Amino acid sequence: MLKIWGRISSLNVRKVVLVAQELGVPFERVDAGGAFGIVRTPDYLAKNPNALVPVIEDDQVQLWESNVIVRYLCARHAPATLYPLPLPQRFEAERWMDWQQTTLNPPARDAFVQWFRVPEDKRDHAVIARSVATAEPLWELLDHHLANRPFIAGDALTMADFPIACEVHRWFGLPQPRPDHPHVERWYQTMAARPSSRGVFDITLS
Ligand SMILES: N[C@@H](CCC(=O)N[C@@H](CS)C(=O)NCC(=O)O)C(=O)O
């Protein structure tokens, strides 16, 4: 059975759980990382020398890097749908996944860390302001992108929708005002209405 290592309070773990649930793949999830520790044990470092979550074990395959795991699960269980086979569609999905990981996540993460991981008396509101100032134009870009397509990569749901929906879930959960992004909201509500989002988007951020 698919084994997922990682605490559900991690956005990167939530991506993997969400996709496994969407695919209907049975899995066992083991809490690891953060207060659960484990990630610096020799056994775990042999699975992921970065000492980070998530990791999956699936038959002969052992993987780290959340978006790679999303690609792998979709390629294994949903080729031609969530993992599009025609290269134009595949790489449209691919580039948005990389955008989530490399462009959107770093600034969006900073505000989350300040609100949820830093004690109130140590919270740095300048870091939050910088995070918002950098992330908001990216949310606007995404809103523009979603204005004339139902899903991230076009007409159909693909692997790209899940990592970005996880990023939206976390950003919308921050206790701070945000401008309207009606197309992002509409798309996110579609994602949150999917049964696969249970236990992922209905949990409190921590
Ligand atoms: N690029 C990696 C980043 C993984 C990552 O930063 N994981 C964080 C949680 S989101 C982590 O393991 N932090 C240390 C810990 O939880 O102990 C991925 O996408 O999988």
Side-chain angles (χ1 to χ4, degrees), residues 25 40 70 73 92 103 115 139 181 194:
V25 177
R40 297 200 174 273
V70 168
L73 290 174
E92 180 65 7
T103 302
W115 283 119
W139 292 121
H181 298 299
R194 301 183 78 80

Side-chain angles (χ1 to χ4, degrees), residues 6-206:
R7 55 190 169 82
I8 199 70
S9 57
S10 149
L11 179 156
N12 290 312
V13 172
R14 289 196 291 274
K15 290 176 192 172
V16 176
V17 169
L18 179 64
V19 167
Q21 292 183 167
E22 178 72 28
L23 293 164
V25 177
F27 64 89
E28 174 199 3
R29 186 179 61 78
V30 180
D31 277 320
F36 297 100
I38 298 180
V39 294
R40 297 200 174 273
T41 61
D43 274 1
Y44 191 89
L45 288 170
K47 299 184 211 307
N48 184 357
N50 299 291
L52 296 172
V53 293
V55 160
I56 63 157
E57 293 174 292
D58 188 37
D59 294 336
Q60 307 302 309
V61 174
Q62 189 170 283
L63 285 175
W64 40 268
E65 279 304 327
S66 57
N67 282 6
V68 170
I69 296 170
V70 168
R71 290 180 176 99
Y72 162 77
L73 290 174
C74 292
R76 174 162 185 195
H77 298 284
T81 55
L82 296 185
Y83 188 81
L85 296 181
L87 294 186
Q89 284 96 312
R90 166 108 56 89
F91 282 91
E92 180 65 7
E94 292 280 5
R95 74 171 165 191
W96 283 101
M97 291 175 77
D98 278 18
W99 179 80
Q100 178 275 321
Q101 191 81 287
T102 61
T103 302
L104 180 59
N105 183 259
R109 181 177 182 278
D110 289 345
F112 166 76
V113 169
Q114 290 299 318
W115 283 119
F116 285 89
R117 299 281 156 78
V118 172
E120 199 173 345
D121 58 333
K122 301 227 162 47
R123 192 163 294 146
D124 187 338
H125 287 272
V127 171
I128 295 176
R130 269 201 305 278
S131 165
V132 169
T134 314
E136 272 305 335
L138 300 171
W139 292 121
E140 192 50 40
L141 180 159
L142 183 65
D143 201 57
H144 185 73
H145 177 72
L146 286 168
N148 48 20
R149 46 181 72 71
F151 294 103
I152 295 291
D155 289 337
L157 182 75
T158 67
M159 59 184 176
D161 290 280
F162 302 100
I164 299 179
C166 288
E167 196 78 59
V168 174
H169 163 254
R170 190 172 72 178
W171 187 256
F172 282 9
L174 300 183
Q176 60 190 23
R178 60 187 152 79
D180 279 352
H181 298 299
H183 306 292
V184 173
E185 296 261 4
R186 181 265 309 152
W187 165 79
Y188 176 69
Q189 290 313 325
T190 305
M191 297 301 290
R194 301 183 78 80
S196 58
S197 76
R198 289 193 200 119
V200 181
F201 292 162
D202 50 5
I203 60 165
T204 313
L205 292 179
S206 60

